[in-house]
Amino acid sequence: MSPVKSVCFIGAGFVGGPSGAVLALKNPDVEVSVVDLSENRIAAWNSDALPIYEPGLLPVVKEARDAETRPQNLFFTTDVRGTIKRADIVFICVNTPTKTAGIGAGKAPNMAYFESATRMIAAEAEKDTIIVEKSTVPCRTAANMREILKAIGKPGVNFEILSNPEFLAEGTAVADLMRPDRILIGSMQTPSGLEAAEVLANLYGSWVPKENILKTNIWSSELAKLAANALLAQRISSINALSAICEATGADVGEIAYAAGLDSRIGSRMLQASVGFGGSCFRKDVLNLSYMAETLHLPEVAAYWQSVVAINEWQKSRFTKRIISALYGTLTGKKIAVYGFSYKKNTADTRESAAISVVKDLIAEQAKVCIYDPQVTKAQIWEELDISGCHIDDVEKFVTIAKNPYDCASDSHAVVVLTEWDDCRQVDWEQIFDIMERPAFVFDGRRVIDAGKLQRLGFHVESIGRGNPF
Ligand SMILES: NC(=O)C1=CN([C@@H]2O[C@H](COP(=O)(O)OP(=O)(O)OC[C@H]3O[C@@H](n4cnc5c(N)ncnc54)[C@H](O)[C@@H]3O)[C@@H](O)[C@H]2O)C=CC1
Ligand SMILES: O=C(O)[C@H]1O[C@H](OP(=O)(O)OP(=O)(O)OC[C@H]2O[C@@H](n3ccc(=O)[nH]c3=O)[C@H](O)[C@@H]2O)[C@H](O)[C@@H](O)[C@@H]1O
């Protein structure tokens, strides 16, 4: 196979943008184009105000994009079709959200964007092309792609499909891409499939050690991505289920996680009890896996994975119920300060954030909710609450946005910590205590507050997974 000269990433989102930028940085001789249908998104990628907040990303983008220190090899464009024509490799990084209507609504992934990208490649490619599934897709998606490519592709043009799922986490995307635990490449086990896998492995080989590049059959690779997210989400639901037992018994879930995590077979990561996992992928991918099991006539397996999501939903509503009960059963007219709206720190992404459900429930109780988040905009909060079914009149009436944690807490009855932002935990709690109503409550949905210290200041503190130890 001739050397790779041009690579295209379809979908300039959280995955396509950073992945394209790092690949370009590490392969200066390869032209990397990240394409999207959204003109606004592409304009933002071509500016210094990138469309996503990701620590360390701007310098990486600028180095490959701005031709200041070396020739430019990173391009962001809406010319999807023209870019596909030039590309030797096309990565599909489009969104695969959960279906909201039709068969499998609320469970199955919506593959419309993915199929549309596949059809576009089939229609435009004029030379042999490697197509890489980077989006998270159901197992056996490559078989559907193969049929579409065969039916639409130009005569004489050969396609090879690879699965190369992405494992980056938001907030640490650059570090994850620079030093991935592993790169997984799935291919058909035919001579041309194995050759294509080798071509892709060589691109990664410019910065990832060979022993971290794993090659498997294509179906294993597709399923491994869903499995990895399901296993991570399952750990969080497991520790969150234990957090409820801790609250009822006086055990402390932090001590449980630490004690259990010291067993090297269990390990310590992803055992931080919380108000519930969020983000665009855990819920979607666990449901995707569960739905797949359902369609494969494996109802017990489907129910098992479904329970991971059910515990997460329960954890969110359990937390709000605890707030209401501690505040004497009524929130009407009380100001509640919410610290954090993104689904975790170091990202402005709010998709599936636990804060959405909690704020929605607080509004239903007629609380006056004031939100502080260092990165999330008011427009985005409004949009999320609107999508979640909050009446927009209620949002206008009950919700305000604060510019800092102090304005947020002023005259409030309670501070509710929903995201573990450093800005939110490192406040001057003595000052916060002075400006709050009495009794002053703190509800810690992230276990990032020193409960003992706050209690000594006079706060009533309730944390996830911490009951009365006496
Ligand atoms: N967000 C994350 O941290 C991770 C996401 N993933 C997976 O990667 C995929 C993409 O996720 P995100 O980047 O978060 O999505 P996103 O929603 O941020 O970006 C997707 C982009 O694709 C564009 N797009 C859709 N159809 C298109 C088409 N036909 N042509 C050109 N552009 C098109 C959209 O305009 C959008 O900008 C999903 O399957 C997701 O499950 C995997 C690992 C991490
Ligand atoms: O497929 C994806 O989209 C990605 O999903 C997750 O990444 P991400 O959702 O960005 O972030 P995580 O750090 O995994 O956190 C997800 C949610 O779980 C919560 N969480 C995480 C860890 C933990 O111990 N406890 C906990 O409640 C976080 O606060 C957050 O709401 C995976 O970690 C990535 O490997 C994967 O590529």
Side-chain angles (χ1 to χ4, degrees):
M1 226 171 211
S2 44
V4 174
K5 291 201 192 96
S6 175
V7 168
C8 166
F9 284 77
I10 303 185
F14 287 87
V15 167
S19 307
V22 170
L23 192 87
L25 185 79
K26 300 294 188 180
N27 289 280
D29 297 332
V30 177
E31 176 194 281
V32 177
S33 302
V34 184
V35 302
D36 204 290
L37 300 172
S38 159
E39 289 188 1
N40 288 345
R41 257 203 171 179
I42 290 300
W45 280 111
N46 280 319
S47 76
D48 282 356
L50 301 183
I52 61 173
Y53 172 73
E54 194 59 63
L57 182 58
L58 185 60
V60 172
V61 168
K62 281 173 83 73
E63 189 167 344
R65 185 197 68 184
D66 290 355
E68 277 166 11
T69 51
R70 58 180 224 174
Q72 177 180 14
N73 73 323
L74 175 62
F75 303 85
F76 293 96
T77 169
T78 51
D79 179 15
V80 182
R81 293 179 186 278
T83 309
I84 290 172
K85 281 193 197 346
R86 275 200 314 282
D88 303 301
I89 304 184
V90 181
F91 290 81
I92 307 184
C93 314
V94 302
N95 36 336
T96 49
T98 304
K99 275 180 87 171
T100 52
I103 294 173
K107 294 185 279 189
N110 175 355
M111 295 297 288
Y113 306 104
F114 192 89
E115 184 175 324
S116 144
T118 307
R119 284 175 180 272
M120 203 144 47
I121 301 166
E124 298 303 329
E126 290 172 349
K127 58 178 178 180
D128 293 356
T129 308
I130 296 174
I131 306 179
V132 183
E133 296 172 338
K134 190 153 263 314
S135 299
T136 303
V137 294
C139 186
R140 293 205 68 85
T141 294
N144 298 343
M145 292 170 77
R146 204 163 46 192
E147 280 192 27
I148 292 170
L149 294 164
K150 198 167 155 210
I152 304 179
K154 295 191 171 69
V157 174
N158 297 308
F159 295 102
E160 207 54 61
I161 304 169
L162 299 176
S163 158
N164 170 222
E166 184 49 63
F167 296 104
L168 69 79
E170 289 179 30
T172 53
V174 175
D176 294 343
L177 288 164
M178 294 283 195
R179 288 176 298 282
D181 286 347
R182 77 303 206 186
I183 294 293
L184 177 57
I185 301 175
S187 68
M188 296 305 291
Q189 303 297 292
T190 56
S192 60
L194 294 169
E195 193 187 343
E198 195 55 33
V199 170
L200 184 57
N202 283 339
L203 269 189
Y204 282 110
S206 29
W207 82 98
V208 179
K210 222 180 163 83
E211 58 274 19
N212 292 7
I213 302 177
L214 176 66
K215 295 190 199 126
T216 65
N217 90 39
I218 196 159
W219 318 121
S220 303
S221 173
E222 288 178 340
L223 189 55
K225 170 64 193 178
L226 291 179
N229 272 3
L231 289 167
L232 293 172
Q234 180 219 42
R235 272 174 81 87
I236 301 171
S237 278
S238 297
I239 201 71
N240 282 346
L242 286 164
S243 76
I245 298 183
C246 289
E247 287 163 34
T249 55
D252 184 316
V253 78
E255 293 178 346
I256 305 297
Y258 184 66
L262 285 177
D263 184 328
S264 58
R265 293 169 303 174
I266 296 173
S268 61
R269 297 178 70 188
M270 302 302 274
L271 283 183
Q272 173 71 36
S274 68
V275 56
F277 60 73
S280 61
C281 294
F282 276 177
R283 181 186 158 84
K284 153 178 95 68
D285 294 346
V286 175
L287 291 172
N288 182 343
L289 187 63
S290 171
Y291 183 71
M292 225 165 66
E294 209 176 301
T295 57
L296 294 169
H297 310 293
L298 301 167
E300 292 81 1
V301 180
Y304 174 73
W305 288 114
Q306 180 77 40
S307 73
V308 169
V309 173
I311 286 285
N312 197 52
E313 293 306 313
W314 178 71
Q315 183 78 344
K316 291 186 265 184
S317 67
R318 199 171 75 75
F319 184 64
T320 325
K321 284 187 185 133
R322 196 169 164 197
I323 297 174
I324 299 164
S325 152
L327 290 172
Y328 318 109
T330 177
L331 300 188
T332 306
K334 289 179 180 164
K335 180 177 173 187
I336 309 292
V338 166
Y339 282 7
F341 199 83
S342 60
Y343 77 92
K344 64 178 204 178
K345 77 170 182 179
N346 289 339
T347 178
D349 196 346
T350 54
R351 291 178 288 182
E352 297 291 341
S353 177
I356 301 167
S357 320
V358 174
V359 169
K360 188 180 172 197
D361 289 351
L362 295 176
I363 294 174
E365 294 292 324
Q366 311 227 306
K368 293 209 171 298
V369 182
C370 185
I371 301 170
Y372 167 69
D373 188 291
Q375 287 296 331
V376 180
T377 61
K378 177 177 171 180
Q380 206 176 330
I381 293 173
W382 256 230
E383 191 184 327
E384 287 290 11
L385 292 174
D386 190 28
I387 294 170
S388 78
C390 283
H391 206 283
I392 204 70
D393 291 342
D394 284 344
V395 177
E396 292 290 352
K397 191 164 144 202
F398 291 111
V399 185
T400 52
I401 307 295
K403 286 200 170 63
N404 61 62
Y406 300 93
D407 290 350
C408 187
S410 174
D411 299 325
S412 68
H413 290 259
V415 170
V416 178
V417 180
L418 295 181
T419 314
E420 71 282 22
W421 284 106
D422 294 344
D423 285 35
C424 295
R425 45 195 266 225
Q426 291 164 353
V427 292
D428 178 345
W429 285 104
E430 228 173 308
Q431 194 182 332
I432 297 281
F433 187 69
D434 285 345
I435 57 179
M436 285 178 68
E437 295 286 336
R438 297 286 183 272
F441 286 80
V442 171
F443 298 93
D444 185 1
R446 293 291 182 165
R447 298 179 52 84
V448 289
I449 303 296
D450 181 343
K453 180 179 147 196
L454 264 65
Q455 273 157 356
R456 286 190 292 281
L457 288 174
F459 282 102
H460 178 122
V461 184
E462 305 243 348
S463 308
I464 288 281
R466 193 179 285 127
N468 182 351
F470 300 107

